[in-house]
Amino acid sequence: MACVEDISSDDEIHEEVSRTLDEAFLIWGKKLKDKCQEFRLHLVTWNVGTASPPPDVTGLLQLSSQGPGMDMYVIGLQEVNSKIINFLSDLAFDDPWSIFFMTVFSPLGYIKLSSIRMQGLLLLVFVKHAHIPFIRDIHTHYTRTGLYGYWGNKGGVTIRMSLYGHTICFMNCHLPAHIENAEQRLDDFEKILEMQQFEDENVPDILDHDILFWFGDLNFRIADYGIHFVRESISNSRYNLLWEKDQLNMAKKKEAFLQEFIEGPLQFKPTYKFDLHSDVYDTRGQKTLFWFNGKKRKPAWTDRILWRVKNLSQHPSEDGDLSEGEQTISVTLNNYISHMSYGISDHKPVTGTFGLQIKPLLSTPLVTLNPEGEWNAVQDVLISYSTVSEFPSSTWDWIGLYQVAFRHVNDYVTYAWVKDDEISSSEDVTHVYISADEIPHAGGEFLLCYYSHNMQSIAGISQPFQIQPSKRSAEKELAQENINGIEKPHSPEPYNEF
């Protein structure tokens, strides 16, 4: 299923997400005790050519695949509509693409962990709820390279984080176009690597991360060969004839800083340039006015996904259990393909599906929290939480109440300040209250998240729990059913809809 519409009611959404969460917490609780585990990652890069989102992304996100789902989705878009009116609107509100993907993922038990936008470049990270307590040190960065660094139509945006104690960075780039600008593309990429600095003393630069994923519309073309030879090779599925003249492959043989980057085999058609809403390569006729832009574009693998694994130093785990020379994280490429059925742009999207073999260096959440007793809107309710000794707490920390299918950290129903609303505290546990007036009368499935101001992220998440509907809400619903004369499932009131 790709869209929320595929699920018939809000109740069914919440029930499905709650069940999925319970399973996820149970599975990952067991896995954290194991020596190694696989973290499943699906990465998308797509130059969307200022288009609106398509009606369905089932194939793109592999949502209908059999077997376990992904643990994380990373989506890098280029040429998101960045006209001044659209861009100013998107600064105040989420852009249409972010809203679209949140609508797809939230019913499936994922939240938007982080995002960054620089004009037409957009990078989104979605993750399953169960992993949230083990993802820390989230930071974003951007580098403009258009118009000598003054314009953000070209450049790179990054999101970096610590995942179970391992540092990972995702970098979405849009590099200069045209076949003759291969050197400029390399120069811009080097500039992005040099300019993006992070606050973490142990990981100050992009290349210092344990794993770096580099992807986007990198705009490398096929050199030397003419358009007819290129198209004939593609028609006969003889892509290997073109690999040696691919500018990125050629650069990797010469440039030392590129040689540590790995890419899967290009066993799919070049993803640029297509007529809109088709899988036919550029058929434009020659324009007569100064021959401006009338030349047909030679097909090319402009849209790419590469990764780099750092030579890892030894990381001590919480119990110190790490043998000498043991590899603590590695990357396996499971699938590297294009998706020809999407025609909203002159580029086809490319996806990479990865397995990250991880030895967890973290197995204890910084914050553990739970609802106390039965929750309803008749009386004030209590939350209990505890923190590890090294947790960097702040008076600006808060605990949010969320519906189970929430979209992002600000999509809360209500919240309580951990200091202002504290009613008791001991060495082991602290209690915080939420007023009955803030509790939704309709009830339903909810969960709690502890937001850390110092970390700028969620530090703890509870298991789903039930809020009982109030008597007034139940009577109102029964009366409405009598008026309508039909039985229908209860649908919780919406909160913080974006």
Side-chain angles (χ1 to χ4, degrees):
M1 55 187 168
C3 300
V4 173
E5 289 77 10
D6 294 333
I7 302 177
S8 58
S9 74
D10 286 344
D11 270 353
E12 290 176 6
I13 290 174
H14 296 162
E15 182 180 345
E16 173 67 18
V17 174
S18 179
R19 182 184 62 78
T20 303
L21 274 174
D22 285 336
E23 292 177 354
F25 279 118
L26 179 63
I27 291 170
W28 277 87
K30 292 179 178 179
K31 283 186 175 182
L32 287 175
K33 300 176 183 178
D34 297 338
K35 285 288 184 182
C36 199
Q37 59 190 272
E38 182 176 66
F39 186 90
R40 298 173 300 273
L41 167 68
H42 189 72
L43 198 153
V44 179
T45 179
W46 193 3
N47 183 322
V48 297
T50 74
S52 299
D56 180 78
V57 287
T58 302
L60 184 68
L61 303 177
Q62 298 186 2
L63 296 177
S64 60
S65 297
Q66 298 299 315
M70 299 297 154
D71 297 295
M72 178 180 286
Y73 284 89
V74 178
I75 299 169
L77 305 180
Q78 307 86 40
E79 291 194 22
V80 173
N81 196 333
S82 59
K83 293 179 181 177
I84 189 66
I85 294 178
N86 300 87
F87 187 61
L88 291 176
S89 173
D90 294 346
L91 289 176
F93 308 98
D94 281 309
D95 64 275
W97 281 94
S98 295
I99 294 171
F100 172 75
F101 281 114
M102 285 190 289
T103 303
V104 170
F105 283 123
S106 61
L108 304 176
Y110 299 85
I111 73 160
K112 186 183 77 172
L113 179 74
S114 184
S115 66
I116 183 170
R117 171 87 183 269
M118 182 184 74
Q119 285 180 227
L121 275 170
L122 176 63
L123 180 56
L124 302 161
V125 175
F126 293 87
V127 67
K128 278 187 174 178
H129 297 173
H131 301 299
I132 292 172
F134 306 100
I135 300 177
R136 305 171 189 175
D137 304 320
I138 304 167
H139 297 285
T140 62
H141 213 312
Y142 66 88
T143 301
R144 302 185 185 98
T145 59
L147 286 179
Y148 305 101
Y150 290 100
W151 193 241
N153 65 318
K154 295 292 191 293
V157 294
T158 57
I159 297 175
R160 60 90 60 198
M161 66 192 68
S162 168
L163 175 67
Y164 290 94
H166 302 277
T167 57
I168 297 182
C169 185
F170 301 99
M171 180 167 52
N172 173 25
C173 291
H174 193 183
L175 300 182
H178 306 305
I179 192 167
E180 65 273 14
N181 287 329
E183 290 299 322
Q184 185 63 50
R185 287 188 271 279
L186 297 176
D187 290 344
D188 282 9
F189 180 49
E190 281 193 282
K191 179 181 178 181
I192 294 168
L193 291 176
E194 291 170 1
M195 292 190 65
Q196 297 210 7
Q197 305 288 318
F198 296 96
E199 298 175 3
D200 192 328
E201 294 180 356
N202 298 318
V203 194
D205 302 317
I206 288 180
L207 294 179
D208 291 319
H209 289 81
D210 293 336
I211 298 176
L212 167 62
F213 287 94
W214 171 39
F215 50 93
D217 180 0
L218 307 185
N219 255 321
F220 290 101
R221 308 303 173 95
I222 297 172
D224 300 336
Y225 296 143
I227 187 171
H228 298 295
F229 178 80
V230 172
R231 289 193 174 190
E232 187 68 20
S233 299
I234 296 169
S235 296
N236 295 324
S237 298
R238 300 186 68 185
Y239 309 129
N240 60 304
L241 299 179
L242 309 175
W243 292 343
E244 67 176 12
K245 294 300 182 180
D246 171 79
Q247 290 178 332
L248 181 54
N249 287 340
M250 295 165 68
K252 285 179 67 177
K253 295 177 181 178
K254 298 179 181 179
E255 302 289 343
F257 78 102
L258 289 179
Q259 290 171 2
E260 292 183 347
F261 283 91
I262 305 167
E263 183 180 17
L266 297 170
Q267 299 284 12
F268 50 85
K269 288 183 177 182
T271 52
Y272 175 85
K273 170 181 171 102
F274 288 87
D275 290 344
L276 294 181
H277 308 293
S278 79
D279 58 0
V280 177
Y281 285 106
D282 191 6
T283 59
R284 293 175 302 170
Q286 186 87 8
K287 292 184 180 179
T288 56
L289 183 59
F290 305 116
W291 295 274
F292 178 70
N293 205 26
K295 184 179 179 182
K296 293 178 183 177
R297 298 293 187 206
K298 185 165 54 173
W301 286 289
T302 57
D303 310 281
R304 313 287 279 270
I305 300 173
L306 300 93
W307 71 98
R308 176 185 182 271
V309 180
K310 183 185 174 186
N311 293 326
L312 299 179
S313 58
Q314 296 305 302
H315 297 283
S317 62
E318 289 180 341
D319 57 7
D321 181 20
L322 184 61
S323 61
E324 185 67 27
E326 182 180 352
Q327 182 82 342
T328 59
I329 188 168
S330 61
V331 178
T332 300
L333 176 66
N334 297 325
N335 205 2
Y336 187 35
I337 59 174
S338 63
H339 298 262
M340 290 292 145
S341 63
Y342 295 92
I344 62 173
S345 152
D346 55 2
H347 290 252
K348 300 299 182 182
V350 171
T351 61
T353 305
F354 298 88
L356 275 56
Q357 285 70 43
I358 294 176
K359 177 180 175 56
L361 306 178
L362 302 171
S363 59
T364 304
L366 292 174
V367 179
T368 303
L369 68 166
N370 295 287
E372 289 287 312
E374 181 179 289
W375 279 42
N376 55 53
V378 177
Q379 58 187 9
D380 296 347
V381 295
L382 291 181
I383 302 165
S384 64
Y385 75 90
S386 59
T387 65
V388 298
S389 58
E390 67 271 20
F391 177 65
S393 63
S394 165
T395 56
W396 296 103
D397 291 355
W398 50 272
I399 297 173
L401 175 67
Y402 297 83
Q403 292 185 340
V404 289
F406 73 111
R407 299 181 174 199
H408 52 75
V409 70
N410 292 324
D411 197 15
Y412 50 79
V413 176
T414 187
Y415 63 89
W417 295 104
V418 295
K419 296 302 182 183
D420 290 351
D421 298 315
E422 178 184 309
I423 60 170
S424 68
S425 180
S426 67
E427 189 173 319
D428 298 324
V429 67
T430 302
H431 288 95
V432 174
Y433 86 98
I434 296 179
S435 168
D437 296 337
E438 302 295 324
I439 303 302
H441 287 271
E445 286 285 328
F446 292 82
L447 50 77
L448 299 164
C449 292
Y450 186 110
Y451 185 82
S452 166
H453 175 76
N454 288 329
M455 296 172 57
Q456 293 291 294
S457 63
I458 296 173
I461 184 170
S462 77
Q463 296 223 18
F465 64 96
Q466 186 76 27
I467 294 180
Q468 299 301 321
S470 67
K471 183 178 179 181
R472 185 182 68 181
S473 176
E475 290 174 348
K476 183 178 178 181
E477 182 176 325
L478 180 60
Q480 186 64 46
E481 288 179 0
N482 291 335
I483 291 172
N484 294 338
I486 58 171
E487 294 264 340
K488 62 179 182 180
H490 163 64
S491 178
E493 299 173 10
Y495 293 90
N496 262 356
E497 288 296 328
F498 285 80

